[in-house]
Amino acid sequence: MALTKNKKVLDFVESSANLAQPNNIVWIDGSAAQIKALKEEAVKSGELIKLNENLLPDCYLHRTKVNDVARVEDRTFICTPKKEDAGPINYWMDPREARELTNEIARGSMKGRTMYVIPYSMGVVGSPFAKYGIEVTDSIYVVLNMNIMTRVGKKVLDAIGKNGDFIKGFHAKCDVDADKRYIMHFPEENSIVSVNSAYGGNVLLGKKCFALRIASYLGKNEGWMAEHMLILGVTYPDGEKKYVAAAFPSACGKTNLAMLIPPKHYLEKGFKIECVGDDIAWIRVGKDGRLWAVNPENGFFGVAPGTNEHSNYNALESTKRGTIFTNVALNTDNMTVWWEGLSKELPEHCIDWTGKPWNSEKFDKHDKSTCAAHPNSRFTAPAENCPCVSPDFNSKEGVPLSAIIFGGRRASTTPLVYQSRDWNHGVFIGSAMSSETTAAATGATGVLRHDPMAMKPFAGYHMGDYFKHWIDMGAKVKNPPKIFNVNWFRQDADGNFMWPGFGDNMRVLEWILKRCGDSPIDAEETAIGYVPKAEDIDISELDYNIAEGKPFTLDSLKEILTVDKEKWSKEAEEIEAYYNNSIKDRIPQELWDCLATLKANCYVAPVAEKPAKKAAAKKPAAKTADKKPAAKKAPAKTAAKKTTAKK
Ligand code: GTP
Ligand code: SPV
Ligand code: MN
């Protein structure tokens, strides 16, 4: 029975049913009894496997089809009437064509099945920042995941009310045919359509589709931001709290940073990290002239491989009850789960993510085809399970940001941490981000590609306009967060990570926050921005051994803080090519100016001119801008303008 009198909701449900022709329609009211019944039904049909009730109470395993294990970027479309509004790096389809195509695919696809109607909220129901959605789906897996990842049920319909608006989401599994898989976004119609997938980001429509692609479009028009960012709180020994948001591309460390456990001596001093969010931040201008962030989600859809009690104790704890695992391995000795990196010992009897017995003797960690769990296998865990979930998790106003951090997987070039000279330069750093691709999306992994603000797959409009929106947001706030870039993934010649990462990232966070106070700690001004003086990053009690027992010393730190001008000169050329060839137009002048400054700062004099250039090279960062060649599109006049810090 319909749970609302809202005509728009009823019309959407009716038209979806007319298209997909399900046998019956079930409204998800969010009650424990209904969710329990759905789990039982899914276990009966084999869609879920019940795990050991004593060891993993109320936990289930789900396996997807082997052709359906990650987001599909090349089948994800932004359907704006004008192609140029989707921009050059989004896949675009004409909205009418997209509707016709997906209607054709979805027509009659739920015959003999049930269509579930999920009313859900992104954000705390009733909060001024919350936005509501209705997802219809023929997948119980989707219902149960949405019930963890968002706030679901009758209370959402009550909040939408009789006339309220919502985002329409239509999902049909169809035949899970990869050749007919489409994830369509209609930003101007507040609508999403997803067909022929039953995996994560493709089908949990509240997550990437709504809370990033549609929301980024709404944010541009309404003056706020939807970002692919974790949010964490640092509590100091004296009780003071500061908040940070960080954008890293998919599978580049957001969940891990959001829940990190500081090194022992930090804990002993009284430092604490609390998690507000691990994937998405909605950011607004607060009355106090600062930026405030909320996490619109209610759970974690986290990467399983690599998660263990040392690397991410809090994430692992979060998965101990009420969790759905997707594409991990099943340990048949005790009906628990396993994945690469969970433990050193391999399980004796285990079924791999495809449902076949796993041969541990053939296991080679460098060969993904021998893995028991899929590299993009995931857990869907309620945020309330997390031992370090922030008391501000359900705050209606969110938390004020002291810092914004960008970062990616970079084997070389990018130092452990550096700070932008000001907001606009920070936007430039975000716009210029590159990172090696991961298993979170289909396609090759380990390929370096541009991923501005970790939003390449998620910005719902033109990337150039998105950069401009960032610039505009900075101009709106009196006290914008300081902007930083980190790289946990520098590698030595043998391919070993040069920084221990994980909990030890606390050491970098501490420095970052020391740069944000009223009397910031000193830093070195370099060609790319401010880099820490090595002595200012606490490396005490760091027993990390790089390869062959080489201890981590001040020199090791200095090495990963190095800014190599030659490499950065190439990087600048690379950024310029990206701007010119990929984003093409609509790049704000402020970013061209920053590029010109970077090029100028990294200019290495030809040998013959050595004596003349030597003095200039010594000059700090921005000041040298007017003496060196400007970036291609930046008029010399503006390129020469000195970047000044926002007061
Ligand atoms: P999405 O959920 O896809 O958005 O990913 P995410 O950004 O939340 O990434 P996550 O924290 O799940 O980490 C992804 C992978 O990176 C895991 O295999 C981690 O073990 C690894 N990782 C995370 N942090 C670090 C780090 O500091 N150093 C190293 N070397 N690896 C890390
Ligand atoms: C990501 O890929 O960034 C994820 C997983 O967080 S998914 O929800 O599949 O997009
Ligand atoms: Mn993500």
Side-chain angles (χ1 to χ4, degrees):
M1 207 188 65
L3 295 178
T4 178
K5 292 200 167 69
N6 183 309
K7 187 156 178 329
K8 285 177 272 189
V9 175
L10 294 173
D11 285 351
F12 170 59
V13 172
E14 191 186 326
S15 66
S16 301
N18 286 343
L19 176 67
Q21 300 163 32
N23 262 23
N24 56 321
I25 299 175
V26 170
W27 289 71
I28 299 301
D29 60 18
S31 67
Q34 187 186 42
I35 294 299
K36 182 165 177 273
L38 285 171
K39 286 173 181 167
E40 282 165 7
E41 192 181 331
V43 169
K44 220 186 243 169
S45 72
E47 192 171 351
L48 294 183
I49 295 168
K50 172 95 181 87
L51 298 170
N52 186 318
E53 183 59 25
N54 291 324
L55 298 173
L56 292 170
D58 195 27
C59 290
Y60 300 84
L61 167 64
H62 173 76
R63 298 190 191 113
T64 66
K65 275 190 143 187
V66 294
N67 73 5
D68 190 30
V69 294
R71 282 182 294 99
V72 278
E73 295 185 357
D74 58 349
R75 308 197 73 92
T76 298
F77 293 84
I78 303 297
C79 308
T80 43
K82 281 196 253 154
K83 186 175 182 192
E84 61 262 34
D85 290 339
I89 63 167
N90 272 318
Y91 294 88
W92 174 84
M93 204 182 287
D94 175 77
R96 209 151 16 127
E97 198 186 314
R99 282 277 174 208
E100 275 169 21
L101 180 66
T102 53
N103 280 352
E104 198 51 48
I105 292 170
R107 188 162 295 122
S109 66
M110 296 187 194
K111 272 184 191 158
R113 313 247 282 264
T114 297
M115 182 175 91
Y116 301 94
V117 181
I118 315 168
Y120 66 94
S121 174
M122 301 313 293
V124 177
V125 180
S127 103
F129 301 123
K131 293 208 174 273
Y132 307 118
I134 307 284
E135 175 166 358
V136 298
T137 177
D138 55 349
S139 159
I140 295 182
Y141 170 79
V142 168
V143 174
L144 297 176
N145 274 274
M146 286 293 283
N147 185 54
I148 297 171
M149 294 305 297
T150 72
R151 292 141 174 113
V152 157
K154 173 92 169 60
K155 58 184 185 269
V156 178
L157 288 169
D158 294 343
I160 296 174
K162 225 172 142 194
N163 297 307
D165 280 318
F166 60 96
I167 304 293
K168 300 182 192 106
F170 175 94
H171 166 243
K173 276 194 290 199
C174 305
D175 303 318
V176 198
D177 177 348
D179 294 331
K180 292 187 181 160
R181 186 169 298 155
Y182 294 99
I183 325 294
M184 306 286 201
H185 303 73
F186 305 89
E188 291 169 29
E189 299 166 35
N190 283 335
S191 168
I192 304 155
V193 174
S194 165
V195 290
N196 274 304
S197 174
Y199 178 84
N202 296 333
V203 298
L204 309 180
L205 301 185
K207 196 173 176 57
K208 296 300 169 45
C209 300
F210 174 178
L212 288 180
R213 297 193 192 96
I214 299 286
S216 62
Y217 173 84
L218 295 174
K220 180 192 66 147
N221 294 331
E222 297 169 3
W224 54 283
M225 306 160 93
E227 299 298 333
H228 192 199
M229 289 181 181
L230 68 94
I231 309 165
L232 65 80
V234 179
T235 308
Y236 284 78
D238 65 1
E240 190 191 2
K241 282 190 183 200
K242 287 185 182 171
Y243 298 89
V244 164
F248 309 154
S250 301
C252 290
K254 288 183 299 302
T255 303
N256 277 271
L257 187 67
M259 300 178 190
L260 78 75
I261 297 184
K264 199 158 146 266
H265 68 291
Y266 279 85
L267 292 172
E268 284 164 0
K269 275 191 237 166
F271 279 95
K272 197 161 69 179
I273 296 288
E274 286 167 340
C275 172
V276 181
D278 82 323
D279 199 52
I280 297 176
W282 284 0
I283 302 175
R284 288 167 197 267
V285 180
K287 289 192 194 84
D288 60 354
R290 296 204 280 173
L291 286 182
W292 288 66
V294 297
N295 168 17
E297 301 192 283
N298 201 27
F300 310 121
F301 186 59
V303 177
T307 308
N308 61 52
E309 61 181 311
H310 306 292
S311 66
N312 195 347
Y313 168 86
N314 288 315
L316 193 62
E317 272 308 293
S318 307
T319 67
K320 294 282 170 73
R321 58 191 180 282
T323 293
I324 299 171
F325 296 92
T326 302
N327 293 342
V328 301
L330 176 66
N331 181 337
T332 45
D333 284 335
N334 60 4
M335 289 303 279
T336 59
V337 286
W338 193 80
W339 49 75
E340 280 67 24
L342 175 62
S343 59
K344 284 211 179 87
E345 317 75 57
L346 307 181
E348 254 174 61
H349 300 102
C350 173
I351 297 190
D352 74 13
W353 68 275
T354 68
K356 295 197 193 77
W358 183 58
N359 186 346
S360 60
E361 278 158 26
K362 285 201 183 140
F363 174 58
D364 165 8
K365 66 178 179 190
H366 301 295
D367 177 358
K368 284 186 184 132
S369 69
T370 67
C371 287
H374 187 275
N376 191 36
S377 54
R378 300 250 168 186
F379 52 79
T380 316
E384 64 182 16
N385 282 3
C386 181
C388 71
V389 68
S390 167
D392 301 308
F393 182 79
N394 287 315
S395 153
K396 291 188 172 169
E397 295 75 38
V399 296
L401 298 178
S402 296
I404 285 177
I405 307 173
F406 294 119
R409 260 175 210 273
R410 293 297 303 264
S412 81
T413 313
T414 311
L416 178 65
V417 57
Y418 67 104
Q419 182 188 0
S420 73
R421 290 187 291 274
D422 56 27
W423 176 270
N424 286 352
H425 181 226
V427 176
F428 169 74
I429 290 172
S431 80
M433 261 167 75
S434 298
S435 189
E436 288 146 26
T437 51
T438 65
T442 53
T445 60
V447 180
L448 190 64
R449 72 162 186 187
H450 282 273
D451 190 349
M453 282 86 169
M455 283 288 279
K456 187 207 174 290
F458 308 121
Y461 59 102
H462 194 296
M463 192 53 84
D465 293 345
Y466 170 81
F467 295 161
K468 176 76 170 66
H469 183 49
W470 264 84
I471 301 267
D472 293 344
M473 287 296 293
K476 272 197 216 175
V477 279
K478 229 175 35 243
N479 296 306
K482 302 280 187 276
I483 302 182
F484 298 80
N485 194 90
V486 298
N487 179 20
W488 313 141
F489 299 95
R490 271 277 272 259
Q491 288 177 22
D492 66 15
D494 301 323
N496 301 303
F497 290 121
M498 296 167 77
W499 171 250
F502 301 98
D504 288 309
N505 293 332
M506 178 70 205
R507 302 165 187 271
V508 176
L509 271 183
E510 189 191 19
W511 180 82
I512 284 175
L513 288 170
K514 278 186 183 163
R515 291 285 298 165
C516 296
D518 293 333
S519 45
I521 188 173
D522 259 3
E524 307 276 1
E525 194 170 359
T526 73
I528 62 170
Y530 299 106
V531 171
K533 293 177 193 280
E535 298 74 21
D536 290 336
I537 291 193
D538 176 0
I539 54 165
S540 61
E541 299 184 41
L542 188 58
D543 56 5
Y544 182 67
N545 292 339
I546 312 177
E548 289 109 41
K550 196 175 131 203
F552 194 92
T553 62
L554 198 62
D555 283 339
S556 323
L557 181 61
K558 281 182 181 159
E559 203 178 336
I560 53 175
L561 288 174
T562 311
V563 176
D564 178 331
K565 273 199 191 176
E566 236 162 89
K567 285 202 175 117
W568 274 97
S569 174
K570 288 206 186 89
E571 183 86 6
E573 274 170 33
E574 171 56 37
I575 297 164
E576 181 169 11
Y578 179 66
Y579 276 11
N580 279 322
N581 304 333
S582 294
I583 314 265
K584 292 187 181 125
D585 52 7
R586 304 201 198 180
I587 300 232
Q589 184 60 45
E590 291 87 343
L591 302 191
W592 286 116
D593 293 349
C594 288
L595 176 59
T597 303
L598 176 65
K599 287 180 80 176
N601 288 348
C602 295
Y603 181 76
V604 181
V607 180
E609 292 178 46
K610 216 172 175 183
K613 298 287 174 191
K614 223 174 171 182
K618 264 195 208 152
K619 284 211 174 161
K623 289 173 195 147
T624 55
D626 48 354
K627 297 208 173 70
K628 303 289 153 52
K632 201 166 161 192
K633 280 204 178 164
K637 202 171 65 197
T638 35
K641 240 185 355 197
K642 211 185 111 187
T643 17
T644 45
K646 199 166 269 115
K647 308 254 158 40

mmCIF file of all heavy atoms in Angstrom, residues 71 207-208 212 228-229 248-252 254-255 278-280 297 301 303 378 440 454 458, ligand 3:
data_model
loop_
_atom_site.group_PDB
_atom_site.id
_atom_site.type_symbol
_atom_site.label_atom_id
_atom_site.label_comp_id
_atom_site.label_asym_id
_atom_site.label_seq_id
_atom_site.Cartn_x
_atom_site.Cartn_y
_atom_site.Cartn_z
ATOM 1 N N ARG A 71 32.101 0.274 -10.813
ATOM 2 C CA ARG A 71 31.460 1.314 -11.604
ATOM 3 C C ARG A 71 31.911 1.206 -13.062
ATOM 4 O O ARG A 71 33.024 0.777 -13.341
ATOM 5 C CB ARG A 71 31.823 2.705 -11.068
ATOM 6 C CG ARG A 71 31.062 3.106 -9.814
ATOM 7 C CD ARG A 71 31.422 4.490 -9.344
ATOM 8 N NE ARG A 71 32.799 4.581 -8.884
ATOM 9 C CZ ARG A 71 33.808 5.049 -9.592
ATOM 10 N NH1 ARG A 71 33.608 5.554 -10.795
ATOM 11 N NH2 ARG A 71 35.020 5.066 -9.078
ATOM 12 N N LYS A 207 24.077 7.266 -3.662
ATOM 13 C CA LYS A 207 25.493 7.511 -3.418
ATOM 14 C C LYS A 207 26.103 8.385 -4.516
ATOM 15 O O LYS A 207 25.932 9.604 -4.512
ATOM 16 C CB LYS A 207 26.204 6.158 -3.273
ATOM 17 C CG LYS A 207 27.575 6.236 -2.662
ATOM 18 C CD LYS A 207 28.128 4.845 -2.407
ATOM 19 C CE LYS A 207 29.542 4.854 -1.879
ATOM 20 N NZ LYS A 207 29.757 5.599 -0.644
ATOM 21 N N LYS A 208 26.829 7.798 -5.443
ATOM 22 C CA LYS A 208 27.537 8.608 -6.425
ATOM 23 C C LYS A 208 26.570 9.335 -7.358
ATOM 24 O O LYS A 208 26.798 10.483 -7.737
ATOM 25 C CB LYS A 208 28.519 7.736 -7.217
ATOM 26 C CG LYS A 208 29.634 7.131 -6.341
ATOM 27 C CD LYS A 208 30.416 8.196 -5.692
ATOM 28 C CE LYS A 208 31.384 7.841 -4.607
ATOM 29 N NZ LYS A 208 32.299 6.776 -4.631
ATOM 30 N N LEU A 212 26.631 12.866 -5.446
ATOM 31 C CA LEU A 212 27.712 13.576 -6.142
ATOM 32 C C LEU A 212 27.268 14.155 -7.490
ATOM 33 O O LEU A 212 27.314 15.356 -7.680
ATOM 34 C CB LEU A 212 28.945 12.682 -6.310
ATOM 35 C CG LEU A 212 29.714 12.416 -5.005
ATOM 36 C CD1 LEU A 212 30.918 11.517 -5.236
ATOM 37 C CD2 LEU A 212 30.158 13.718 -4.338
ATOM 38 N N HIS A 228 33.690 14.506 -3.281
ATOM 39 C CA HIS A 228 34.091 13.121 -3.003
ATOM 40 C C HIS A 228 35.135 13.139 -1.874
ATOM 41 O O HIS A 228 36.324 12.956 -2.112
ATOM 42 C CB HIS A 228 34.679 12.517 -4.289
ATOM 43 C CG HIS A 228 34.889 11.043 -4.259
ATOM 44 N ND1 HIS A 228 35.732 10.400 -5.141
ATOM 45 C CD2 HIS A 228 34.383 10.067 -3.477
ATOM 46 C CE1 HIS A 228 35.731 9.100 -4.902
ATOM 47 N NE2 HIS A 228 34.920 8.871 -3.893
ATOM 48 N N MET A 229 34.645 13.422 -0.670
ATOM 49 C CA MET A 229 35.559 13.694 0.448
ATOM 50 C C MET A 229 35.140 12.976 1.727
ATOM 51 O O MET A 229 33.953 12.917 2.052
ATOM 52 C CB MET A 229 35.544 15.188 0.780
ATOM 53 C CG MET A 229 36.206 16.074 -0.237
ATOM 54 S SD MET A 229 36.137 17.786 0.325
ATOM 55 C CE MET A 229 36.953 18.608 -1.035
ATOM 56 N N PHE A 248 40.318 12.086 -2.065
ATOM 57 C CA PHE A 248 41.234 11.185 -2.766
ATOM 58 C C PHE A 248 40.379 10.376 -3.745
ATOM 59 O O PHE A 248 39.258 10.004 -3.411
ATOM 60 C CB PHE A 248 41.914 10.186 -1.816
ATOM 61 C CG PHE A 248 42.571 10.782 -0.595
ATOM 62 C CD1 PHE A 248 42.716 10.012 0.554
ATOM 63 C CD2 PHE A 248 43.054 12.087 -0.576
ATOM 64 C CE1 PHE A 248 43.324 10.521 1.693
ATOM 65 C CE2 PHE A 248 43.660 12.606 0.560
ATOM 66 C CZ PHE A 248 43.794 11.822 1.695
ATOM 67 N N PRO A 249 40.921 10.047 -4.915
ATOM 68 C CA PRO A 249 40.144 9.236 -5.858
ATOM 69 C C PRO A 249 39.744 7.886 -5.248
ATOM 70 O O PRO A 249 40.250 7.489 -4.203
ATOM 71 C CB PRO A 249 41.115 9.043 -7.023
ATOM 72 C CG PRO A 249 42.029 10.218 -6.944
ATOM 73 C CD PRO A 249 42.204 10.485 -5.476
ATOM 74 N N SER A 250 38.864 7.197 -5.941
ATOM 75 C CA SER A 250 38.353 5.913 -5.465
ATOM 76 C C SER A 250 39.499 4.959 -5.148
ATOM 77 O O SER A 250 40.454 4.854 -5.916
ATOM 78 C CB SER A 250 37.463 5.290 -6.541
ATOM 79 O OG SER A 250 36.405 6.166 -6.824
ATOM 80 N N ALA A 251 39.366 4.292 -4.016
ATOM 81 C CA ALA A 251 40.353 3.321 -3.537
ATOM 82 C C ALA A 251 41.748 3.950 -3.340
ATOM 83 O O ALA A 251 42.765 3.321 -3.610
ATOM 84 C CB ALA A 251 40.411 2.094 -4.448
ATOM 85 N N CYS A 252 41.773 5.181 -2.891
ATOM 86 C CA CYS A 252 43.042 5.851 -2.607
ATOM 87 C C CYS A 252 43.152 6.298 -1.147
ATOM 88 O O CYS A 252 43.982 7.159 -0.827
ATOM 89 C CB CYS A 252 43.247 7.026 -3.547
ATOM 90 S SG CYS A 252 43.560 6.509 -5.239
ATOM 91 N N LYS A 254 40.465 7.129 1.454
ATOM 92 C CA LYS A 254 39.547 7.960 2.250
ATOM 93 C C LYS A 254 39.057 7.230 3.503
ATOM 94 O O LYS A 254 39.144 7.769 4.608
ATOM 95 C CB LYS A 254 38.341 8.419 1.409
ATOM 96 C CG LYS A 254 38.682 9.471 0.362
ATOM 97 C CD LYS A 254 37.472 9.945 -0.404
ATOM 98 C CE LYS A 254 36.778 8.837 -1.160
ATOM 99 N NZ LYS A 254 37.606 8.115 -2.137
ATOM 100 N N THR A 255 38.537 6.005 3.317
ATOM 101 C CA THR A 255 38.005 5.280 4.478
ATOM 102 C C THR A 255 39.103 5.088 5.521
ATOM 103 O O THR A 255 38.868 5.237 6.726
ATOM 104 C CB THR A 255 37.423 3.919 4.031
ATOM 105 O OG1 THR A 255 36.429 4.168 3.041
ATOM 106 C CG2 THR A 255 36.811 3.171 5.200
ATOM 107 N N ASP A 278 33.209 8.967 5.245
ATOM 108 C CA ASP A 278 34.368 8.334 4.587
ATOM 109 C C ASP A 278 34.344 8.464 3.070
ATOM 110 O O ASP A 278 35.237 7.954 2.399
ATOM 111 C CB ASP A 278 34.467 6.854 4.972
ATOM 112 C CG ASP A 278 33.526 5.995 4.134
ATOM 113 O OD1 ASP A 278 32.412 6.453 3.821
ATOM 114 O OD2 ASP A 278 33.926 4.865 3.776
ATOM 115 N N ASP A 279 33.336 9.158 2.496
ATOM 116 C CA ASP A 279 33.290 9.165 1.026
ATOM 117 C C ASP A 279 32.717 10.448 0.416
ATOM 118 O O ASP A 279 33.162 10.863 -0.644
ATOM 119 C CB ASP A 279 32.474 7.963 0.529
ATOM 120 C CG ASP A 279 32.740 7.608 -0.934
ATOM 121 O OD1 ASP A 279 33.918 7.448 -1.299
ATOM 122 O OD2 ASP A 279 31.776 7.497 -1.706
ATOM 123 N N ILE A 280 31.723 11.035 1.076
ATOM 124 C CA ILE A 280 31.033 12.171 0.460
ATOM 125 C C ILE A 280 30.830 13.291 1.478
ATOM 126 O O ILE A 280 30.472 13.029 2.634
ATOM 127 C CB ILE A 280 29.670 11.727 -0.123
ATOM 128 C CG1 ILE A 280 29.909 10.691 -1.241
ATOM 129 C CG2 ILE A 280 28.877 12.919 -0.660
ATOM 130 C CD1 ILE A 280 28.658 10.096 -1.829
ATOM 131 N N GLU A 297 25.655 10.436 3.983
ATOM 132 C CA GLU A 297 25.422 8.990 4.052
ATOM 133 C C GLU A 297 25.211 8.525 5.497
ATOM 134 O O GLU A 297 25.404 9.282 6.451
ATOM 135 C CB GLU A 297 26.600 8.239 3.427
ATOM 136 C CG GLU A 297 26.815 8.618 1.967
ATOM 137 C CD GLU A 297 27.791 7.690 1.251
ATOM 138 O OE1 GLU A 297 29.018 7.806 1.452
ATOM 139 O OE2 GLU A 297 27.318 6.851 0.490
ATOM 140 N N PHE A 301 30.508 2.087 2.370
ATOM 141 C CA PHE A 301 30.623 1.077 1.316
ATOM 142 C C PHE A 301 32.123 0.993 1.037
ATOM 143 O O PHE A 301 32.634 1.635 0.135
ATOM 144 C CB PHE A 301 29.818 1.506 0.084
ATOM 145 C CG PHE A 301 29.758 0.478 -1.005
ATOM 146 C CD1 PHE A 301 29.221 -0.784 -0.769
ATOM 147 C CD2 PHE A 301 30.228 0.757 -2.277
ATOM 148 C CE1 PHE A 301 29.167 -1.737 -1.782
ATOM 149 C CE2 PHE A 301 30.175 -0.189 -3.299
ATOM 150 C CZ PHE A 301 29.642 -1.433 -3.052
ATOM 151 N N VAL A 303 36.190 -0.532 0.705
ATOM 152 C CA VAL A 303 37.037 -1.520 0.029
ATOM 153 C C VAL A 303 37.482 -2.567 1.060
ATOM 154 O O VAL A 303 38.062 -2.214 2.087
ATOM 155 C CB VAL A 303 38.301 -0.841 -0.546
ATOM 156 C CG1 VAL A 303 39.240 -1.858 -1.187
ATOM 157 C CG2 VAL A 303 37.930 0.257 -1.542
ATOM 158 N N ARG A 378 33.748 -5.350 -1.423
ATOM 159 C CA ARG A 378 33.361 -4.266 -0.509
ATOM 160 C C ARG A 378 32.575 -4.787 0.684
ATOM 161 O O ARG A 378 31.996 -5.871 0.641
ATOM 162 C CB ARG A 378 32.469 -3.273 -1.265
ATOM 163 C CG ARG A 378 33.129 -2.634 -2.484
ATOM 164 C CD ARG A 378 33.424 -1.194 -2.265
ATOM 165 N NE ARG A 378 34.300 -0.641 -3.296
ATOM 166 C CZ ARG A 378 34.787 0.592 -3.224
ATOM 167 N NH1 ARG A 378 34.489 1.387 -2.223
ATOM 168 N NH2 ARG A 378 35.600 1.039 -4.152
ATOM 169 N N ALA A 440 38.298 0.263 -8.502
ATOM 170 C CA ALA A 440 36.961 0.771 -8.173
ATOM 171 C C ALA A 440 36.124 1.035 -9.425
ATOM 172 O O ALA A 440 34.904 1.123 -9.350
ATOM 173 C CB ALA A 440 37.059 2.043 -7.342
ATOM 174 N N ALA A 454 39.364 14.540 -7.319
ATOM 175 C CA ALA A 454 38.827 13.169 -7.193
ATOM 176 C C ALA A 454 37.397 13.095 -7.707
ATOM 177 O O ALA A 454 36.623 12.210 -7.336
ATOM 178 C CB ALA A 454 38.907 12.658 -5.749
ATOM 179 N N PHE A 458 32.552 11.937 -11.198
ATOM 180 C CA PHE A 458 31.382 12.269 -10.377
ATOM 181 C C PHE A 458 30.828 13.681 -10.546
ATOM 182 O O PHE A 458 29.791 14.000 -9.961
ATOM 183 C CB PHE A 458 31.710 12.047 -8.899
ATOM 184 C CG PHE A 458 32.271 10.671 -8.602
ATOM 185 C CD1 PHE A 458 33.526 10.509 -8.022
ATOM 186 C CD2 PHE A 458 31.530 9.539 -8.914
ATOM 187 C CE1 PHE A 458 34.041 9.241 -7.766
ATOM 188 C CE2 PHE A 458 32.037 8.267 -8.663
ATOM 189 C CZ PHE A 458 33.291 8.122 -8.092
HETATM 190 MN MN MN B 3 34.372 6.691 -3.181
#
